[in-house]
Amino acid sequence: IVYVYNVNIKYKRGGEPMKKTAKSILLVMLMAVLVFALTGCGSKNDSKEEEKKANTLVATKAESDDYFGDYTEIIEITFKDDKAETITMTMDFDSEETAESLAAIFSLASSEDMEGIETKQEGTKFMMIMNAAAYAEQEGIDETQLSREYLEQSLKDEGYEIK
């Protein structure tokens, strides 16, 4: 004897159970992503930023002269293994015209004179980005004197405020 049952299963919740489960899982995953994004979990940017700050020396000094007038000079030195690697000297003038004039003067220099030095002007700021050898030559110091300790003391002696 064989019995056959006809069973019809109807869901009263208004949908298939797999779709609800998939939506629930998706919602939990979305919440997890938001939590990680908002808290910064898994981000290595903070440690890189801290390392950059530890390997950077920033010095500022207010200057004034007859040609350029009043301006602020900012020197930012990045170090690698306690030796200067890149030096950025920024002069922030009161007027954009003064920064443009200085940029024009440097554009006349020969490429031989500017080896290891890049210049750019952005608004009222004029910047010189130098490698360690170019900075040492400009300052008249030996490349062995490019340690953090020596440069920091030298900048303090010249009246710069170290940050």
Side-chain angles (χ1 to χ4, degrees):
I1 301 177
V2 177
Y3 295 98
V4 178
Y5 293 100
N6 188 5
V7 178
N8 286 332
I9 301 175
K10 293 189 179 185
Y11 298 100
K12 292 183 180 181
R13 294 186 194 185
E16 295 179 24
M18 287 304 287
K19 284 187 179 180
K20 290 223 180 236
T21 304
K23 286 181 185 178
S24 296
I25 291 172
L26 185 61
L27 182 62
V28 169
M29 288 174 52
L30 179 63
M31 288 172 41
V33 168
L34 284 173
V35 167
F36 281 117
L38 293 175
T39 60
C41 291
S43 174
K44 293 184 180 181
N45 290 340
D46 292 339
S47 62
K48 286 182 181 180
E49 197 65 33
E50 288 175 16
E51 183 179 328
K52 183 182 178 191
K53 281 183 180 179
N55 292 330
T56 303
L57 175 70
V58 178
T60 59
K61 180 179 177 183
E63 292 279 358
S64 182
D65 64 34
D66 293 336
Y67 183 74
F68 296 122
D70 296 333
Y71 63 95
T72 302
E73 188 170 291
I74 304 156
I75 300 176
E76 183 176 323
I77 306 172
T78 57
F79 295 90
K80 183 175 183 180
D81 300 328
D82 195 45
K83 184 181 178 199
E85 184 176 42
T86 305
I87 297 87
T88 303
M89 296 179 74
T90 304
M91 291 173 243
D92 192 359
F93 299 101
D94 290 335
S95 73
E96 190 170 333
E97 291 79 25
T98 306
E100 288 172 351
S101 297
L102 189 56
I105 291 169
F106 273 90
S107 70
L108 298 174
S110 71
S111 60
E112 191 175 287
D113 292 334
M114 296 296 287
E115 188 172 331
I117 302 172
E118 174 191 343
T119 62
K120 63 181 176 179
Q121 182 254 327
E122 295 174 355
T124 61
K125 294 181 180 182
F126 175 77
M127 290 161 272
M128 289 191 331
I129 299 104
M130 298 173 267
N131 63 28
Y135 182 76
E137 184 177 328
Q138 178 183 346
E139 294 296 312
I141 59 175
D142 189 83
E143 284 189 56
T144 59
Q145 295 173 309
L146 293 174
S147 71
R148 182 183 187 102
E149 183 180 332
Y150 178 84
L151 291 174
E152 186 171 343
Q153 187 59 50
S154 175
L155 290 167
K156 282 180 182 177
D157 292 345
E158 292 177 28
Y160 285 88
E161 180 184 322
I162 308 298
K163 294 183 180 179

